[in-house]
Amino acid sequence: MNINTNFNKLPDYYLFTEINNRKKTFEQAHPDARLIKLGVGDVTLPLPRTIVDAMHQAVEELAHIETFRGYGLEQGSRFLRHAVIDNDYKPLGINLDIDEVFISDGAGSDLGNLSELFSTNNRVAVLDPVYPAYIDTNVIAGRAGEWINGRWSEIEYLPCTAENNFVPPLPKSKPDIIYLCFPNNPTGTTLSRSQLQDWVNFAIQNHSIIIFDSAYEIFIQDPDVPHSIYEIWGADQCAIEVRSYSKTAGFTSVRCGYTIVPKATGLNQMWQRRQCTKYNGTSYISQRGAQATYTPQGKAGIMHNINYYKHNASLFLDSLRSMGYQVYGGVNSPYLWLRTPDNLDSWTFFDLLLNKCQILCAPGVGFGKCGEGYVRLSAFASHETTQEAINRIKQM
Ligand code: PLP
């Protein structure tokens, strides 16, 4: 038996493991410390009651012969796919066919599995800093080349820093697969309509496919920031859009998301085939929960939670800026991207925040070379905790 040796290429180092190790060491040395955790981007508020009720009802249906259900469609239930089209796309003037919507167990799996549609010798481009899963999945698929000086030799990295206003330059090579994530994790920044149009034009001219991760779409508030890549002319020919209810509706444990694979990309039938062969479908209960996010009470419930996090983000942004920090993101995103003061490197500032303020953040360099000199803070804590974090930073 020969194993897939690409797994051996993955560096042992994993950002959140290292954060956890430093957290443990700190806690052992300071058992009474009240740590504020702003590193990992997980939601904290409970689900709106109406969504929980919908899931209860779905469980109850399974208890009765008249309403019991067995296997569902691998592509997802029609009721949820219709709800996605009617609520997330039609209001934006985007017409999708129901066969172009694939319900998933969250964005993470699809972002990994989509790589199976492409040949091993395809070239990949990613933003730097970057959500690590896009790279690791291509390492496993054998597309990344060798790990040399902290970068993969066959991947094109597109720097996003304060110097270019976090607008990635168009690739120099002609990548086949381009991963874009907006609103961005980790920087919290966005692209305008015309900036995204440049990317779609590039992809069409170069026969590239854009995998557009919009897991944080619900945080968008600027009118010039597109909610979907399909608002951009030509995107249906060259883009796959991946979305999730994780941050939108607090579903990080429930698990549900969806992926749009337009027929015009030429990939729809392949993805359909892939899902029918390898995917078990999303739990009926999760799908009923997701459907309930589109009812009037569901919409109000999830927007209440999103506005709660947005309030934290804007409080953080204003306070840190008034202290003289350079901070980005935090407007159309739950993440703030803070430039470390005095040119400190990311881990030194991480240790400073941990030891002086007892605050855990995510060091920017963990997301790529261009994240060096930044840290990421999340707005998913409570108002009180966010205020406490601000007070501690002020005192530092
Ligand atoms: N994409 C981005 C940019 C994320 O930040 C995350 C999770 O934090 C995901 C995808 C994965 O989301 P899901 O919980 O839907 O798998």
Side-chain angles (χ1 to χ4, degrees), residues 41 105-109 111 131 134 181 185 213 215-216 243-247 252 255-256 335:
D105 60 5
S109 321
L111 286 164
Y131 179 63
Y134 315 144
C181 171
N185 180 9
D213 180 350
Y216 297 93
R243 288 217 189 164
S244 169
Y245 296 95
S246 283
K247 308 298 154 78
T252 51
R255 309 307 305 153
C256 195
Y335 296 124

Side-chain angles (χ1 to χ4, degrees), residues 356-388:
K356 292 250 185 321
C357 306
Q358 304 171 358
I359 292 175
L360 268 180
C361 65
V365 70
F367 298 95
K369 276 194 168 175
C370 294
E372 181 57 282
Y374 295 87
V375 296
R376 191 193 74 179
L377 297 168
S378 109
F380 287 123
S382 69
H383 288 336
E384 296 72 22
T385 304
T386 305
Q387 188 56 59
E388 171 72 18

Side-chain angles (χ1 to χ4, degrees), residues 231-349:
E231 289 180 57
I232 307 301
W233 179 87
D236 61 330
Q237 300 163 44
C238 65
I240 292 174
E241 182 160 280
V242 181
R243 288 217 189 164
S244 169
Y245 296 95
S246 283
K247 308 298 154 78
T248 307
F251 273 35
T252 51
S253 66
V254 176
R255 309 307 305 153
C256 195
Y258 62 84
T259 291
I260 307 297
V261 187
K263 292 181 181 165
T265 58
L267 297 167
N268 179 278
Q269 275 304 308
M270 278 174 74
W271 185 244
Q272 157 90 7
R273 187 62 205 260
R274 192 263 168 216
Q275 292 299 79
C276 290
T277 307
K278 292 199 186 181
Y279 182 53
N280 271 333
T282 307
S283 139
Y284 174 66
I285 299 157
S286 300
Q287 293 191 73
R288 281 294 185 202
Q291 183 192 26
T293 66
Y294 297 112
T295 61
Q297 300 96 314
K299 284 181 183 170
I302 63 174
M303 279 324 292
H304 172 272
N305 289 359
I306 296 298
N307 287 332
Y308 185 97
Y309 299 134
K310 274 187 174 175
H311 176 83
N312 287 343
S314 90
L315 190 70
F316 239 141
L317 191 61
D318 293 346
S319 310
L320 290 169
R321 281 191 176 154
S322 73
M323 291 180 222
Y325 287 99
Q326 271 177 281
V327 197
Y328 307 91
V331 178
N332 301 295
S333 160
Y335 296 124
L336 294 105
W337 192 237
L338 184 144
R339 198 161 197 161
T340 60
D342 304 328
N343 287 328
L344 294 177
D345 67 67
S346 299
W347 278 112
T348 304
F349 192 64

